[in-house]
């Protein structure tokens, strides 16, 4: 797996899958660590399903249109803040939306949302953007609830339970395998 933290704005993953479809791009944002743990679990398992560079893990502020257009599929991972996706994830979509419009049609995607009590608002936003890009959802949205309800709990570092981390691993592995085998 390649984790690109050295690039600003437009990381370009290598096209390395057996089918030439491009890697799974895992794009994430996390302020308290919960979403990052989920994204890393998914990416690590995806990389284990196809050793090499078939997975690229990018924090969303480092991902740009070239990374999106070069990928064979997407896993969007965000916290839900005030019933919306994180502002940095929205910024990623704002920067990438028009430059890749009509260039990534029918590619597979899935999402992971880490939320205090709901998660559906962020999921709806991601789905609307993916619909505009004409992506294909290949898994139900994964929503992990932390039950953080007080200001202190909301802002505190998160520790994601093993069951949720395993679900993220399973999703990442399935996404990479599907892309690698040309299923999607």
């Amino acid at each position: 797996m390649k984790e690109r933290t050295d690039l600003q704005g437009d990381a370009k993953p290598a096209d390395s899958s057996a089918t030439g479809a491009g890697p799974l791009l895992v794009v994430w944002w996390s302020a308290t660590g919960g979403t990052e743990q989920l994204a890393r679990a998914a990416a690590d398992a995806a990389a284990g399903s196809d050793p090499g560079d078939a997975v690229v893990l990018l924090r969303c502020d480092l991902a740009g249109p070239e990374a999106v257009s070069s990928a064979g599929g997407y896993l969007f991972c965000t916290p839900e803040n005030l019933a919306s996706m994180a502002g940095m994830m929205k910024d990623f979509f704002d920067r990438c939306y028009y430059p890749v419009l009509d260039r990534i049609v029918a590619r597979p995607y899935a999402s992971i949302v880490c939320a205090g009590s709901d998660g559906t608002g962020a999921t709806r936003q991601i789905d609307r953007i993916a619909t505009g890009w004409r992506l294909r959802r290949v898994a139900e949205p994964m929503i992990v609830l932390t039950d953080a309800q007080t200001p202190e709990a909301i802002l505190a570092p998160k520790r994601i339970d093993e069951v949720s981390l395993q679900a993220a691993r399973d999703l990442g592995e399935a996404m990479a395998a599907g892309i690698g085998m040309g299923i999607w």
Side-chain angles (χ1 to χ4, degrees), residues 97-183:
Y97 189 83
Y98 289 108
V100 303
L101 188 63
D102 295 328
R103 294 174 51 201
I104 60 170
V105 173
R107 294 185 191 175
Y109 85 99
S111 60
I112 298 176
V113 173
C114 186
S117 62
D118 185 35
T120 59
T123 297
R124 277 193 304 275
Q125 287 180 308
I126 291 169
D127 287 345
R128 285 182 187 138
I129 293 164
T131 297
W133 273 342
R134 292 186 292 287
L135 299 178
R136 290 183 298 144
R137 176 175 280 292
V138 296
E140 288 299 312
M142 181 178 164
I143 298 174
V144 175
L145 300 179
T146 64
D147 298 319
Q149 295 301 303
T150 66
E152 296 79 19
I154 291 166
L155 296 172
K158 304 297 182 284
R159 180 170 160 81
I160 303 302
D161 64 275
E162 184 55 37
V163 171
S164 297
L165 290 172
Q166 186 58 51
R169 288 182 197 106
D170 293 345
L171 179 57
E173 185 175 31
M175 291 283 303
I179 292 167
M181 290 188 280
I183 294 172

Side-chain angles (χ1 to χ4, degrees), residues 3 11 13 15 30 40 51 62 64 83 93 96 109 151-152 157 165 171 177:
E3 180 174 4
D15 178 11
S30 187
R40 287 184 183 281
L62 301 177
F93 285 119
C96 296
Y109 85 99
E152 296 79 19
L165 290 172
L171 179 57

